[in-house]
Amino acid sequence: DGGDPSASDVLNFSGGGAAITVNLATESVTETGFASVSTSGVETVNIAAATAALTVNGTADDDTITYHPTGATAGTFSKDGQNAVYNFTSVGTTATAGAFTINGSGDAADRVILVGTNNFDVITINSPARTAILQNAAGTDLKQVTLGATVEILSAQALLGNDTIIVIPAPALGAGLQIDVDGGLPGASDTLVI
């Protein structure tokens, strides 16, 4: 337990190569084969995954989880209503090899917000595969996120720049994956391709 003050505690979690799970309900991080490490009261959690997969499991409530990809194998995420920010590195070996997965819960309105950069981005949302990936202005693919079946909504926020958002739609089966996009500023320079 990080305790007080409430904005200064850091946990560095170094994986050994087995799959890692962040449980937002219990506020813990676990590598397969090892005991859980509590993150309660910790404001910054740094996870070095050693090329392993990383899975985030939500709570029993309607979660909103915000994800900022920062590199081909790196990113940052946080859950609304919780104080912790999770930074990860070395998840897989490329943007698409080694899964970064976010799961919701049993509730019907779990949302993932994918946040772009303040430059020219290409965001590709593949509804049938339930994946989203961002390519930055340098042409680098940043870490792809896979959405578990319990995530109902994906919001893409492209921020500044002349952005392109590509949506590959899925057949209308059941509730499906709801997608909303916000091209950000300036207001006449973004492209949506479906």
Side-chain angles (χ1 to χ4, degrees):
D1 189 331
D4 291 325
S6 60
S8 60
D9 301 302
V10 177
L11 171 66
N12 294 319
F13 185 96
S14 296
I20 296 171
T21 301
V22 174
N23 189 323
L24 297 174
T26 60
E27 297 182 78
S28 63
V29 181
T30 307
E31 182 175 10
T32 300
F34 297 89
S36 297
V37 176
S38 173
T39 61
S40 176
V42 177
E43 290 75 40
T44 302
V45 180
N46 299 316
I47 300 170
T51 73
L54 175 63
T55 300
V56 180
N57 292 327
T59 73
D61 299 323
D62 288 328
D63 297 318
T64 296
I65 299 170
T66 301
Y67 170 49
H68 300 253
T70 58
T73 62
T76 296
F77 64 91
S78 60
K79 177 193 173 304
D80 282 8
Q82 290 187 353
N83 204 23
V85 173
Y86 296 83
N87 305 303
F88 67 83
T89 57
S90 301
V91 171
T93 54
T94 68
T96 55
F100 171 56
T101 304
I102 299 177
N103 296 312
S105 66
D107 274 8
D110 294 300
R111 177 188 300 268
V112 171
I113 300 173
L114 174 66
V115 181
T117 73
N118 284 321
N119 211 324
F120 309 142
D121 297 324
V122 177
I123 298 174
T124 302
I125 301 167
N126 187 327
S127 296
R130 298 183 67 86
T131 60
I133 190 167
L134 184 150
Q135 185 182 81
N136 66 17
T140 301
D141 287 336
L142 305 186
K143 191 62 191 180
Q144 175 176 275
V145 60
T146 299
L147 307 173
T150 49
V151 172
E152 289 81 24
I153 306 165
L154 173 64
S155 299
Q157 296 182 356
L159 302 184
L160 301 180
N162 300 322
D163 304 303
T164 301
I165 299 105
I166 302 168
V167 177
I168 302 168
L173 300 173
L177 178 65
Q178 300 176 48
I179 298 169
D180 61 71
V181 299
D182 182 348
L185 296 173
S189 62
D190 302 303
T191 303
L192 173 64
V193 180
I194 300 175

